[in-house]
């Protein structure tokens, strides 16, 4: 059994693990061909298989060609994994990756032609792999910051450990503290050269896979709660959030304000320019509202051209100031899709004051804001009116 405990055996295990990764990532790619990230990750696994297999035959009738080709393929594999991580976060793969592959091929070939020591070649290979692993870590950290999910953390930890292992191996190789012979039984060589990188690669690839599934789940959750056209909250999410915020306002006796907003003469835009232009106007309005309202405000599309703005912990005075900013922003907004036309809005406002008003429901508050909206439209549009309980009683 001891005869099997060498670098060849570990190399075979490493190649098998990479084959499993390539099959899984390839399966994901065939399920979703438009996903560029899984394409690169599957390619990375395939390149690793060929690379690790060729490096096992470092001396043969082909001379050093298998070693040079295999080592370069290993570098290309990690570069492809880096490209896949960039694609996952919506970036274009960096062209510098090609230069890294070519630069390594030239440097490694020269190290063999100049008959440099195995330790120097190992240091070159190890440092290049470590650098590419750190690039994967950097992409995740730049994209996610400190808000790391379990999958993000797994990728960072796995590739950081793998990079540290390769750096340590390179240092030991240059100092002569490790046996680099292909049939070595040195446990430091077997574990450091193959088994630890294999485990880290498996964990890193698992992390990338989990990141992919996390993104699918988050996208489905987003589609379930947001309007596809405006990217604002949809009606169902708005109702759920509204009920929650009203319950909190009643429990802690905090003011809460609700706006109902309707675009003035929006039907005329659709009839004159078409519904495609109307959609562009709605998207522009949604973006303007998002930029005008505060971070704590909740904006949603209630239906058609009606929008709702929910403002927790907002008094009447604060709500009126916000409403004035919204009206001004809408008046200044021009829509190139419909001849730079101005599309104004009408606003209905209701503020629940815990010191004056009795406890009520989200539906009742929304009705009062809607009543104020109809009053604003009846008053000539392009204005804001606050709910008047006496006027509402007279209308009833």
């Amino acid at each position: 059994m001891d005869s099997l405990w060498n670098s060849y055996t570990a190399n075979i295990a490493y190649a098998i693990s990479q084959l499993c990764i390539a099959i899984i990532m390839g399966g994901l790619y065939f399920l979703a061909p438009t996903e560029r990230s899984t394409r690169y990750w599957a390619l990375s696994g395939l390149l690793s298989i060929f690379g690790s297999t060729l490096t096992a035959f470092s001396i043969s009738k082909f001379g050093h060609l298998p070693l040079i080709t295999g080592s370069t393929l290993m570098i290309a594999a990690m570069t492809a994994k880096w490209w896949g991580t960039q694609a996952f976060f919506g970036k274009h793969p960096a062209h510098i990756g090609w230069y890294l592959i070519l630069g390594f091929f030239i440097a490694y070939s020269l190290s063999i032609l100049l008959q440099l020591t195995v330790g120097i070649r190992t240091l070159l290979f190890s440092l290049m792999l470590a650098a590419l692993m750190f690039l994967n870590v950097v992409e995740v950290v730049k994209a996610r910051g400190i808000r790391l999910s379990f999958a993000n953390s797994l990728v960072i930890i796995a590739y950081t450990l793998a990079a540290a292992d390769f750096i340590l191996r390179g240092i030991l190789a240059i100092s002569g503290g490790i046996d680099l012979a292909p049939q070595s039984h040195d446990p430091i060589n077997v574990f450091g050269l193959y088994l630890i990188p294999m485990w880290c690669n498996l964990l890193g690839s698992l992390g990338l896979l989990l990141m992919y599934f996390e993104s699918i789940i988050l996208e489905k959750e987003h589609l379930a709660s947001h309007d596809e056209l405006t990217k604002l909250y949809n009606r169902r999410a708005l109702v759920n959030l509204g009920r929650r915020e009203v319950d909190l306002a009643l429990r802690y006796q905090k003011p809460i304000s609700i706006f109902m907003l309707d675009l003035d003469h929006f039907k005329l835009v659709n009839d004159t320019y078409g519904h495609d232009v109307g959609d562009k106007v709605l998207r522009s309005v949604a973006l303007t509202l998002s930029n005008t309202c505060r971070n704590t405000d909740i904006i949603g599309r209630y239906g058609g051209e009606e929008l709702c703005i929910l403002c927790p912990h907002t008094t009447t005075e604060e709500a009126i100031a916000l409403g004035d900013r919204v009206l001004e922003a809408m008046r200044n907004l021009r829509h190139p899709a419909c001849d730079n036309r101005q599309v104004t809005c009408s606003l209905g406002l209701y503020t629940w004051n815990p010191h004056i008003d009795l406890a009520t429901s989200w539906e009742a508050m929304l009705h009062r804001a809607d009543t104020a909206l109809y009053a604003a439209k009846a008053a000539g549009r392009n204005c804001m009116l606050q709910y008047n309980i006496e006027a509402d009683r007279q209308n009833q």
Side-chain angles (χ1 to χ4, degrees):
M1 293 298 293
D2 288 342
S3 62
L4 297 176
W5 188 249
N6 56 37
S7 299
Y8 281 133
T9 307
N11 202 359
I12 292 171
Y14 183 84
I16 292 173
S17 70
Q18 292 303 310
L19 176 61
C20 295
I21 293 170
I23 291 173
I24 294 172
M25 293 300 183
L28 281 179
Y29 170 66
F30 284 114
L31 287 173
T34 56
E35 291 288 344
R36 291 183 303 143
S37 57
T38 54
R39 182 193 317 170
Y40 286 115
W41 290 336
L43 176 62
S44 173
L46 289 173
L47 291 174
S48 289
I49 295 169
F50 293 121
S52 59
T53 302
L54 285 172
T55 54
F57 303 99
S58 57
I59 301 296
S60 67
K61 64 179 181 179
F62 299 104
H64 293 287
L65 182 60
L67 178 60
I68 296 172
T69 306
S71 299
T72 305
L73 287 176
M74 295 287 284
I75 297 299
M78 190 51 65
T79 304
K81 189 163 287 187
W82 174 42
W83 284 337
T85 306
Q86 288 184 313
F88 177 81
F89 291 117
K91 297 181 180 179
H92 292 290
H95 295 299
I96 193 175
W98 291 108
Y99 297 110
L100 292 176
I101 297 170
L102 180 60
F104 173 81
F105 174 76
I106 294 172
Y108 200 75
S109 300
L110 286 175
S111 69
I112 291 178
L113 290 175
L114 296 175
Q115 297 182 345
L116 299 180
T117 64
V118 177
I120 293 177
R121 298 203 304 265
T122 303
L123 178 65
L124 174 63
F125 176 77
S126 299
L127 291 180
M128 181 61 76
L129 268 184
L132 288 167
M133 288 176 178
F134 276 129
L135 287 175
N136 276 277
V137 172
V138 168
E139 293 296 338
V140 176
V141 172
K142 284 171 60 178
R144 293 291 185 254
I146 60 174
R147 297 187 302 174
L148 298 175
S149 66
F150 174 78
N152 301 148
S153 302
L154 189 59
V155 171
I156 292 172
I157 293 171
Y159 286 128
T160 300
L161 288 176
D165 173 73
F166 275 107
I167 292 173
L168 178 61
R169 192 187 65 168
I171 294 172
L172 290 175
I174 200 70
S175 64
I178 185 173
D179 182 6
L180 296 171
Q183 294 160 338
S184 169
H185 295 265
D186 183 354
I188 296 178
N189 182 24
V190 175
F191 276 89
L193 185 60
Y194 296 102
L195 296 185
I196 292 179
M198 179 182 71
W199 295 330
C200 290
N201 254 312
L202 282 173
L203 288 176
S205 297
L206 178 61
L208 294 174
L209 188 64
L210 289 175
M211 277 171 47
Y212 177 76
F213 284 120
E214 275 183 355
S215 68
I216 294 176
I217 293 171
L218 290 174
E219 184 179 1
K220 290 181 68 175
E221 290 178 348
H222 186 270
L223 290 174
S225 61
H226 286 73
D227 176 62
E228 186 176 1
L229 176 64
T230 62
K231 311 304 179 187
L232 302 175
Y233 285 111
N234 59 26
R235 183 167 179 164
R236 181 176 63 179
L238 187 64
V239 169
N240 291 334
L241 291 170
R243 288 172 176 166
R244 185 195 68 185
E245 291 299 333
V246 168
D247 287 344
L248 290 173
L250 296 177
R251 180 183 303 173
Y252 297 107
Q253 293 294 290
K254 298 293 183 181
I256 185 171
S257 296
I258 301 174
F259 289 97
M260 285 299 291
L261 181 152
D262 187 76
L263 298 182
D264 298 331
H265 306 295
F266 185 72
K267 185 177 183 299
L268 184 61
V269 173
N270 280 332
D271 293 343
T272 304
Y273 300 98
H275 288 279
D276 288 342
V277 171
D279 289 347
K280 292 180 181 178
V281 171
L282 278 173
R283 282 194 291 266
S284 180
V285 167
L287 180 61
T288 300
L289 286 178
S290 298
N291 292 333
T292 304
C293 293
R294 304 163 302 181
N295 293 334
T296 54
D297 298 330
I298 299 170
I299 313 170
R301 186 183 182 189
Y302 198 72
E305 66 270 21
E306 272 195 336
L307 306 174
C308 178
I309 307 172
L310 178 63
C311 309
H313 304 278
T314 302
T315 63
T316 300
E317 294 75 16
E318 292 169 337
I320 291 174
L322 174 61
D324 288 337
R325 292 201 303 272
V326 169
L327 287 173
E328 189 64 22
M330 292 295 295
R331 289 165 185 157
N332 294 332
L333 182 62
R334 294 295 184 272
H335 302 277
C338 52
D339 303 326
N340 284 325
R341 185 185 183 121
Q342 180 192 53
V343 179
T344 58
C345 70
S346 301
L347 284 174
L349 167 63
Y350 173 72
T351 298
W352 182 76
N353 188 331
H355 303 295
I356 300 175
D357 301 323
L358 297 175
T360 186
S361 65
W362 154 258
E363 287 76 13
M365 292 185 187
L366 191 68
H367 168 75
R368 292 169 184 176
D370 203 39
T371 300
L373 171 63
Y374 278 100
K377 292 169 69 173
R381 295 183 169 85
N382 191 19
C383 64
M384 171 179 58
L385 287 182
Q386 188 178 0
Y387 173 75
N388 187 319
I389 191 169
E390 295 300 330
D392 192 21
R393 286 172 178 170
Q394 291 176 7
N395 291 335
Q396 292 176 352

